[in-house]
Amino acid sequence: VWMAHGLVRDEAFAVMLGDDLVDAEVPCIEQLARVYEKHQCAVVAVMRVPKEEVSKYGVVGGESLGKGLTRVQKMVEKPPAGSAPSDLAVIGRYILPPKVFDLLEKQTPGAGGEIQLTDALQALAADPGPGGGVIACEFEGRRYDAGDKVGYLEANLAYAMKRPELREAVRALCRKMAAS
C-alpha cells in the first residue's frame, strides 16, 4: 500500500489483494465504494468465519450500524483462537482515505516483523477527525481464497461452472476424477 503513496496523493483509493477473488453481482469494491461515499471513512470488506478459523485473518470488532455494517473499534491481525473481538474476518478489499499514508509512515513493525496495514487501520479507527474512522462491510457475494491450493482449485472450478461452454466438461471431469 505504501508503494502507491506517490500515485494516490490526496485521493481515496481501492486496495484489492490478488489472492482473494470475490464473485458478486455487484462487485465487492463497488459495494465498499458506496459505503465510503456515504460515510467518508475507510471501509474494509469482512465476512463471518468459524471461530476456530479467526487466527488466519485480521479480525474486527465494534458497534453494529445495521445492514451488515460495523463501526470498527478494534482490529487485530491473526488473533489466537478465543481472543478475537468477533468472527468478522477482513478479506483483501479496502477503500482507504489518503490519511492512511500518514499512519503507515509512523508505524513500527508489527506481526511477522512487518509494517501491518491492520495496525494503521486500528489507528485510523480511533481517529475521530476528518478521514478518520473505519467501517467494516459484510459484502454480498462469494469469496475464494486463491492463496490456498484448495481455494485456488475451488475458484477455478466455480468460475468454469459459470461458463455454459465449460460446465458439462467440468462436471464430467469431476465425475471422472472422483471415480478414480
Side-chain angles (χ1 to χ4, degrees), residues 164-180:
E165 73 274 17
L166 295 177
R167 187 175 302 123
E168 287 310 313
V170 170
R171 282 186 178 140
L173 179 61
C174 288
R175 282 192 294 272
K176 179 180 171 184
M177 304 263 327
S180 61

Side-chain angles (χ1 to χ4, degrees), residues 23-25 144 156-167:
D23 186 14
E25 189 172 319
Y144 298 96
N156 277 280
L157 289 171
Y159 280 99
M161 290 294 288
K162 290 178 71 167
R163 297 186 56 179
E165 73 274 17
L166 295 177
R167 187 175 302 123

Side-chain angles (χ1 to χ4, degrees), residues 25-88:
E25 189 172 319
V26 175
C28 182
I29 207 71
E30 183 178 333
Q31 294 175 50
L32 302 184
R34 290 175 182 173
V35 174
Y36 179 87
E37 287 299 316
K38 181 176 180 183
H39 295 276
Q40 293 296 301
C41 67
V43 184
V44 298
V46 294
M47 66 180 197
R48 295 201 180 270
V49 297
K51 295 211 184 287
E52 60 273 9
E53 292 183 22
V54 294
S55 62
K56 298 177 184 178
Y57 301 92
V59 180
V60 302
E63 171 193 357
S64 173
L65 300 175
K67 295 186 180 182
L69 301 179
T70 300
R71 181 163 308 282
V72 175
Q73 295 166 332
K74 185 162 181 82
M75 186 175 263
V76 182
E77 184 64 30
K78 298 182 175 135
S83 68
S86 75
D87 63 347
L88 291 173

Side-chain angles (χ1 to χ4, degrees), residues 18 95-96 115 125 173:
I95 301 287
L96 302 177
I115 302 293
L173 179 61

